[in-house]
Amino acid sequence: VSTKRAPNRRGQGTRLRDEILEAARVLAEAKGEQAVTLRAVAREVGIAAPSIYAHFPDREAILSALVDEAFDELSAVVLGAMDAATGPVGRLRAACDSYVDFALRRPNRYQLAFAPRTANEMPRASATRAFELLVHAVRDCIDAGDTTSADAFGNATAIWVALHGYATMRSSRPAFPWPEGTATVDRIVEALAGLTAHALEPTRDESDGA
Amino acid sequence: VSTKRAPNRRGQGTRLRDEILEAARVLAEAKGEQAVTLRAVAREVGIAAPSIYAHFPDREAILSALVDEAFDELSAVVLGAMDAATGPVGRLRAACDSYVDFALRRPNRYQLAFAPRTANEMPRASATRAFELLVHAVRDCIDAGDTTSADAFGNATAIWVALHGYATMRSSRPAFPWPEGTATVDRIVEALAGLTAHALEPTRDESDGA
DNA sequence: TGTACATCAGTGAACGCGCGTTCACTGATGTAC
DNA sequence: TGTACATCAGTGAACGCGCGTTCACTGATGTAC
């Protein structure tokens, strides 16, 4: 009988939802995914635990939102690094370096993104977008003739799993006698992208000017 | 005043300990590490939960024993595959293939082995022994001139983390469009070991006979 | 050979904990007339 | 402008759960004399 359009009451319509997400994010980054309990989140926000149900159907929904956030941030970081680099090989290196850097700087956030959730989870759009950045970087190297292989997707997959293994182990096994610096990441990128000897050189020109 | 040497009473001295470990192993393989609770183990064995304390100081001790078991089995599997192969490159391939095969056939056992336990855990002997197999296989390729690199430890590290990433993702993300067959593993081994073009050929001779 | 006793593997009940979720509610905010 | 009422964000108590661990115990096995 009336307009029926009810605008959200107090300013709280989306504010509390954001506060819940932020608290969950802080907890996950500081102490890992298993620290994100409804009660802990509620404690952090300063509300009663059941209040969360007005904004998320269950605990899993919060985690899922955090996963998308994490993938989106990963994409943004990688994109930013690529934009600041020069040439196909330079952009591929920048993508891989920034990927590993993100994983090592925010280990809990990274692990959260890649932790298995449900048994047969379909790839989520946020994750696919991030992966596509890598495929694209590899394809640009191929197109520029900087590589000995032509399988962009296959190479990107190999590079991805290798970087993932490195980042995972590197942060969970600090006591392992890791090779210094970026040696391992460099080796992974160069070898698995199939970079040509020619492609490995010109990167020096940029900082040299000779 | 007497001999003081008390032989273990009933036959149970070590029998119950073994039954506890076996139940824990079964639970871990079927449902993952988090399913290995003292109460679940006791249920499986058919004893009261507190009885476990006669054989293990706490839950973590059971898991730690399972981790060593898993690494030892991994070593045995890899060694067996290497012994059945021919030539340095053949043995390296066999080592890597069997490693991944083990991880994919027994995902929960594999994940248990590599799951982070304590914050700064030192590498355990059982894990180091397994890794040394890989280092050795890589070194043999280097010594035989089948490789373009000379850093056995560095190459083995890169191969290991790459295989680990592959195995982890492959089993936790079945919906990803994985390249067929052993393409990814082959690429990882060949590229990260730095196998020469010459070294990639002779493997065909064995099954050919020409 | 017989009896009192030490040993010790395993038990059953209970503890306190934090969890996800449910339920009926409160109390302030805004609207209809 | 005033009053009755609908809306709805957030609450507090409680549920049932499984957990690791503790405690005092039981009851069979073996030993000393």
Side-chain angles (χ1 to χ4, degrees):
Chain A
V1 271
S2 67
T3 49
K4 194 66 190 301
R5 181 73 72 93
N8 48 5
R9 284 309 228 244
R10 304 237 304 260
Q12 305 299 55
T14 188
R15 176 142 38 179
L16 183 52
R17 185 177 197 279
D18 291 347
E19 285 178 46
I20 290 168
L21 265 189
E22 190 196 331
R25 194 182 313 127
V26 166
L27 283 167
E29 274 190 50
K31 312 197 304 199
E33 170 174 349
Q34 81 290 342
V36 182
T37 68
L38 295 190
R39 296 174 109 110
V41 169
R43 243 175 272 133
E44 190 85 2
V45 177
I47 57 172
S51 303
I52 293 174
Y53 286 94
H55 302 277
F56 297 91
D58 55 20
R59 175 177 183 267
E60 192 55 34
I62 299 178
L63 291 174
S64 180
L66 290 185
V67 169
D68 280 331
E69 271 192 14
F71 275 119
D72 288 343
E73 187 187 345
L74 177 58
S75 288
V77 164
V78 168
L79 249 186
M82 286 174 71
D83 282 352
T86 313
V89 173
R91 275 193 289 276
L92 175 60
R93 284 185 191 280
C96 294
D97 289 350
S98 60
Y99 180 102
V100 170
D101 190 57
F102 175 83
L104 296 183
R105 246 185 21 248
R106 303 173 110 70
N108 284 332
R109 196 159 173 75
Y110 180 80
Q111 294 298 334
L112 171 67
F114 285 102
R117 307 227 71 76
T118 61
N120 250 31
E121 193 186 14
M122 295 316 280
R124 55 181 74 210
S126 56
T128 301
R129 279 194 298 272
F131 183 66
E132 284 301 326
L133 293 179
L134 183 58
V135 176
H136 200 97
V138 171
R139 184 162 11 244
D140 282 352
C141 289
I142 293 175
D143 291 348
D146 289 328
T147 200
T148 61
S149 159
D151 179 6
F153 184 85
N155 283 11
T157 301
I159 293 173
W160 166 52
V161 297
L163 294 181
H164 174 75
Y166 176 72
T168 300
M169 280 301 158
R170 180 88 209 213
S171 54
S172 78
R173 302 279 163 149
F176 182 86
W178 295 102
E180 296 269 319
T182 61
T184 304
V185 171
D186 290 347
R187 200 191 305 263
I188 286 172
V189 177
E190 291 164 12
L192 291 178
L195 297 186
T196 61
H198 160 263
L200 295 177
E201 285 307 321
T203 47
R204 224 189 288 138
D205 294 354
E206 245 86 53
S207 62
D208 203 342
Chain B
V1 270
S2 67
T3 48
K4 195 65 189 301
R5 180 73 72 91
N8 49 5
R9 283 309 228 247
R10 306 236 305 260
Q12 304 301 53
T14 189
R15 175 141 39 180
L16 183 53
R17 184 177 198 280
D18 291 347
E19 285 178 47
I20 291 169
L21 265 188
E22 190 196 330
R25 196 181 312 127
V26 167
L27 284 166
E29 274 190 51
K31 312 198 302 199
E33 172 175 347
Q34 82 290 343
V36 183
T37 67
L38 295 190
R39 295 174 110 112
V41 169
R43 243 175 271 133
E44 188 86 3
V45 176
I47 57 174
S51 301
I52 293 173
Y53 286 93
H55 301 278
F56 296 91
D58 56 20
R59 176 177 183 268
E60 192 53 37
I62 298 180
L63 291 174
S64 180
L66 290 185
V67 169
D68 280 331
E69 271 191 15
F71 275 120
D72 288 343
E73 188 187 345
L74 177 58
S75 289
V77 164
V78 169
L79 249 184
M82 287 175 70
D83 282 353
T86 313
V89 173
R91 275 193 290 276
L92 175 61
R93 282 185 192 280
C96 294
D97 289 350
S98 60
Y99 181 102
V100 170
D101 190 58
F102 176 83
L104 295 182
R105 247 187 18 250
R106 304 174 109 71
N108 283 333
R109 197 160 174 73
Y110 179 80
Q111 294 298 336
L112 171 68
F114 284 103
R117 307 227 70 79
T118 61
N120 250 31
E121 193 186 15
M122 295 316 280
R124 56 180 75 209
S126 56
T128 301
R129 279 194 298 272
F131 183 65
E132 284 301 326
L133 293 179
L134 183 59
V135 176
H136 201 96
V138 171
R139 183 157 18 237
D140 283 352
C141 290
I142 293 174
D143 291 348
D146 290 327
T147 200
T148 60
S149 158
D151 179 6
F153 184 86
N155 284 10
T157 300
I159 292 173
W160 165 53
V161 297
L163 294 181
H164 174 77
Y166 176 73
T168 300
M169 280 302 159
R170 179 88 210 212
S171 53
S172 77
R173 302 279 164 151
F176 182 86
W178 294 103
E180 296 268 317
T182 59
T184 305
V185 171
D186 290 348
R187 201 191 303 263
I188 285 170
V189 177
E190 291 163 12
L192 291 180
L195 296 186
T196 61
H198 161 264
L200 295 179
E201 286 307 321
T203 47
R204 224 189 290 139
D205 293 355
E206 244 87 51
S207 61
D208 204 342

